[in-house]
Amino acid sequence: MSVAYDFAHSPATEFMARPQHLLIDGRRVPASSGRTFKSLNPATGQVIATIAEGGEADVEHAVAAARRAFEGPWRTMRASERGQILLRWADLLKRNAEEIIELESIDAGKPISATMRQDFPAAVDTLIYYAGWADKISGDVVPVRDDALTYTMREPVGVVAAIVPWNFPLMIGMWKLAPALACGCTVVMKPAELTSLSALRIAELALEAGLPAGVFNVVTGPGRVVGDALVNHPDVDKVTFTGSPGVGRGIMKGAASNFKRVSLELGGKSANVIFDDADLEAASKAAASGIFFNAGQVCSAGSRVLVQERAYDEVVERLAARAKSIKIGDPLDRKTALGPVISEKQMKSILDYVDIGRKEGARLVTGGEKVGERGYFISPTVFADVAHEMRISQEEIFGPVVSVIKFTDEADALRIANGTAYSLAAGVWSRDIGRLQRFAKRARAGTVWMNTYGYTDVRLPWGGERDSGLGREHGTAAIDNFTEPKAVWMNLAV
């Protein structure tokens, strides 16, 4: 989808100026406590909105509303009608694209050109895709014996808690919302405290599209309060979460209270492996995009670039040249390629890792500095001479920092690529088709890109194992996430 937008009149300004209340049972309401918090623009550090700070009482109200809607109009509605409501919602998103894109760019510090090109179209595509699934979720007739009719059916899981991260709030939010709603579930969403605005706006549009009250609720506020209350609530049937491994472990413990179903998309330390027979220009270009896109705040970012010995120096040089050429600046400037990181805390964490890399003996080729006096900008950073055991090679930095690691042969590349706690994604570059296939088979990764890097599509499964999470999103895997199979046995010998 390619549409030209005019942001001169800032259609999001009026929305941001409003008190941003919770959305519970079809109404915008203040937090029960009356508390609020400030949302900051990461490009300037300035306040852009005042948002309700939800608490346990608000979670209680939202879950009760979701349960009523699940037992009432949403679950009993014809599946085709649910799909039509989701399609009307998608149409409203497209009609309000300018406002939503601008909100996302300002709130998350995302370059507006990338939000227009990727985040917003992906969110709409996801909604349309699962709207089409709504009346196609079926079971099977299983011929067990002649005197019985035996078949399976799929029923919605129930009330879903969707806990969404700050790096792709609109896109990842829709990854969770669309399939859950298409399956007949109801949702209480907790957007990240740092990026709540797009969730609140699209929830309003969902009501306008005809979504019944209580089907989609939004409770904003801190994870340690709102998130924990959702995870521990006895009337929540499933938790879907994207975020850090540490929080994911806590969610699994909390979900054990009533054996909630859980799906987790967690961290990554993805290896982008470049053999010396690869197209080094194409590989270096994709490697730079793979780590510097969204300021490196991507779970599948190619933060480890593994390069075979003979090509190593050339790739380092090419990566450094690309890093130096990236335009850093105002996210609302369409020429900007690298915006700020999300917060001052995140900026400090990334710069601490730059210091760690230096102390460990890695060579800082370029970058690694705060840029400008306002906002949370960091220059694209390239480390060379990185040893596999170093912390900057093993730990998720979640910023525009790449570690370039040397390897000798195919076995060495696989050893290094598989040698972290993560398993979300990997890339491999070579002209040898056999090598590509061997690597794809042996790499511990939920997605493997060959001679490309970073593409996703809602029609393909997405997720990882170990510290990268549990379960898969997208495609038919998401239908499995939000439905329970039921076996039915009818006696015919009566």
Side-chain angles (χ1 to χ4, degrees):
M1 179 171 57
S2 178
V3 184
Y5 301 111
D6 176 12
F7 294 95
H9 299 291
S10 189
T13 302
E14 182 179 345
F15 180 80
M16 290 188 292
R18 289 162 41 191
Q20 292 302 319
H21 296 321
L22 315 175
L23 194 148
I24 298 176
D25 206 14
R27 297 183 300 118
R28 295 295 295 272
V29 294
S32 299
S33 66
R35 293 194 186 98
T36 61
F37 64 93
K38 303 297 184 184
S39 182
L40 305 183
N41 180 346
T44 65
Q46 296 177 331
V47 174
I48 54 173
T50 300
I51 300 176
E53 184 179 318
E56 292 182 7
D58 303 300
V59 169
E60 191 67 40
H61 296 154
V63 172
R67 177 59 60 187
R68 287 193 299 271
F70 176 70
E71 300 295 350
W74 192 240
R75 188 178 188 181
T76 57
M77 184 183 293
R78 288 186 178 182
S80 59
E81 189 176 347
R82 283 203 304 268
Q84 288 300 315
I85 291 173
L86 298 184
L87 288 174
R88 289 199 296 272
W89 188 18
D91 185 57
L92 283 170
L93 292 180
K94 287 187 282 188
R95 281 157 50 188
N96 290 272
E98 188 174 341
E99 177 186 8
I100 296 166
I101 290 169
E102 187 174 10
L103 279 174
E104 191 81 342
S105 179
I106 295 171
D107 200 22
K110 302 169 86 63
I112 203 154
S113 57
T115 308
M116 291 168 60
R117 184 179 68 251
Q118 174 170 318
D119 298 33
F120 182 79
V124 173
D125 183 42
T126 298
L127 185 52
I128 292 172
Y129 173 75
Y130 284 110
W133 262 106
D135 60 357
K136 300 172 185 67
I137 300 169
S138 60
D140 299 295
V141 175
V142 183
V144 173
R145 48 194 284 175
D146 290 342
D147 62 351
L149 172 62
T150 48
Y151 61 93
T152 64
M153 55 195 297
R154 283 200 165 269
E155 297 181 331
V157 166
V159 176
V160 174
I163 304 175
V164 179
W166 47 256
N167 59 333
F168 291 94
L170 176 64
M171 185 177 75
I172 294 180
M174 194 59 76
W175 287 1
K176 301 178 185 307
L177 281 170
L181 297 177
C183 289
C185 299
T186 56
V187 177
V188 179
M189 174 182 278
K190 195 211 87 65
E193 193 174 359
L194 295 169
T195 53
S196 300
L197 294 177
S198 60
L200 291 166
R201 183 65 184 115
I202 68 170
E204 290 181 342
L205 293 174
L207 293 173
E208 189 178 333
L211 206 68
V215 171
F216 175 24
N217 309 272
V218 182
V219 181
T220 52
R224 67 185 180 278
V225 178
V226 177
D228 287 356
L230 284 168
V231 169
N232 291 291
H233 200 290
D235 215 20
V236 169
D237 302 297
K238 176 179 171 62
V239 178
T240 173
F241 169 76
T242 298
S244 72
V247 176
R249 289 185 179 92
I251 286 173
M252 290 192 74
K253 291 177 183 177
S257 61
N258 68 332
F259 299 102
K260 292 177 180 67
R261 291 185 60 177
V262 174
S263 54
L264 306 171
E265 199 265 84
L266 306 177
K269 194 68 181 176
S270 300
N272 199 355
V273 180
I274 303 173
F275 285 91
D276 58 18
D277 66 337
D279 179 337
L280 298 185
E281 169 59 21
S284 300
K285 180 180 179 181
S289 175
I291 181 58
F292 300 134
F293 175 71
N294 203 44
Q297 300 168 125
V298 183
C299 294
S300 58
S303 54
R304 294 184 299 148
V305 174
L306 281 52
V307 187
Q308 200 164 15
E309 290 173 315
R310 288 191 300 177
Y312 186 84
D313 290 342
E314 182 177 347
V315 171
V316 169
E317 184 179 335
R318 288 178 181 272
L319 277 174
R322 288 196 170 274
K324 292 173 184 176
S325 70
I326 293 173
K327 178 177 171 51
I328 306 170
D330 179 2
L332 293 179
D333 182 344
R334 297 193 194 196
K335 295 180 181 178
T336 294
L338 189 80
V341 297
I342 191 64
S343 67
E344 185 175 14
K345 178 182 177 182
Q346 183 68 11
M347 179 179 68
K348 184 180 183 304
S349 173
I350 295 165
L351 293 176
D352 284 347
Y353 269 109
V354 172
D355 288 341
I356 289 167
R358 286 177 171 141
K359 291 173 183 176
E360 287 183 316
R363 175 166 57 94
L364 181 61
V365 181
T366 188
E369 298 176 335
K370 184 181 187 306
V371 177
E373 297 181 359
R374 294 199 316 166
Y376 316 124
F377 296 87
I378 296 176
S379 55
T381 306
V382 178
F383 273 109
D385 303 332
V386 177
H388 171 55
E389 297 77 15
M390 291 180 179
R391 288 181 62 187
I392 60 170
S393 171
Q394 292 291 320
E395 299 175 15
E396 187 176 38
I397 299 172
F398 223 61
V401 180
V402 63
S403 296
V404 192
I405 304 169
K406 190 179 297 184
F407 70 86
T408 55
D409 56 19
E410 193 173 321
D412 194 36
L414 276 164
R415 176 187 67 84
I416 297 170
N418 290 338
T420 75
Y422 301 98
S423 62
L424 186 58
V428 57
W429 297 77
S430 175
R431 289 185 169 89
D432 184 333
I433 299 299
R435 173 184 283 158
L436 293 174
Q437 293 294 329
R438 288 191 299 272
F439 186 91
K441 185 175 181 180
R442 296 170 186 168
R444 293 198 68 176
T447 294
V448 178
W449 293 289
M450 299 180 182
N451 292 331
T452 189
Y453 196 89
Y455 288 100
T456 60
D457 193 285
V458 70
R459 294 152 190 84
L460 294 170
W462 179 254
E465 303 169 15
R466 301 184 292 170
D467 279 19
S468 289
L470 177 71
R472 294 293 185 272
E473 296 183 296
H474 294 179
T476 57
I479 303 300
D480 294 336
N481 280 343
F482 297 108
T483 57
E484 291 282 10
K486 176 182 283 187
V488 180
W489 190 301
M490 177 184 287
N491 181 14
L492 299 180
V494 176

